[in-house]
Amino acid sequence: MTLEGTLEADVSTADGESRPESVAFAFTVTNAGSEPVELQFSDMCKAEFVVRDGDREVWRFTEGRMFAQMLSREAFAPGESSTYEAEWERPRAGEYTAIAELRAQEASCEAQTSLTVPE
């Protein structure tokens, strides 16, 4: 079964009105197809989050972190969604692009959004 075209994604951010101490990310993956989809993961990190300033990477969720190496599966019925979250602590002020990518073994799915961290 091919997954191309069946998964849709959206990433959003939440931060405070003033300079935030952290930025929270929510990456939602939805099965937009008419058949169930089962994803397999090789560790407990199911999504990667990256913040870029133009061509320069300024933060990566998995950098310096370790995740349990455990095979797992996640099933999505048609129309079903799952949300993966991450938090960028102590962000610097600026204009960025946030990118989220699913880390499933046999499926590729990503989304991006603009992000402003105030002074």
Side-chain angles (χ1 to χ4, degrees):
M1 166 195 245
T2 179
L3 299 176
E4 293 303 314
T6 61
L7 296 177
E8 294 181 354
D10 180 61
V11 64
S12 60
T13 61
D15 51 56
E17 295 282 322
S18 61
R19 175 149 165 67
E21 295 302 315
S22 66
V23 176
F25 297 97
F27 177 49
T28 302
V29 176
T30 303
N31 177 0
S34 58
E35 297 292 324
V37 172
E38 185 173 283
L39 302 176
Q40 295 181 22
F41 298 91
S42 58
D43 63 26
M44 295 307 293
C45 182
K46 295 182 179 180
E48 175 69 276
F49 297 84
V50 176
V51 176
R52 299 187 68 79
D53 180 1
D55 292 336
R56 186 175 62 93
E57 185 176 297
V58 296
W59 178 79
R60 178 175 289 269
F61 175 67
T62 58
E63 185 73 32
R65 297 174 190 255
M66 294 177 56
F67 299 92
Q69 301 295 307
M70 185 169 78
L71 295 176
S72 65
R73 297 175 189 258
E74 189 167 342
F76 291 77
E80 188 173 29
S81 299
S82 189
T83 300
Y84 310 99
E85 298 177 341
E87 188 173 354
W88 179 22
E89 296 178 359
R90 298 179 301 281
R92 290 186 176 167
E95 300 284 330
Y96 303 103
T97 300
I99 304 161
E101 181 178 8
L102 190 65
R103 291 178 32 130
Q105 292 179 353
E106 71 289 335
S108 177
C109 187
E110 79 172 40
Q112 65 181 23
T113 189
S114 297
L115 166 64
T116 300
V117 177
E119 294 280 338

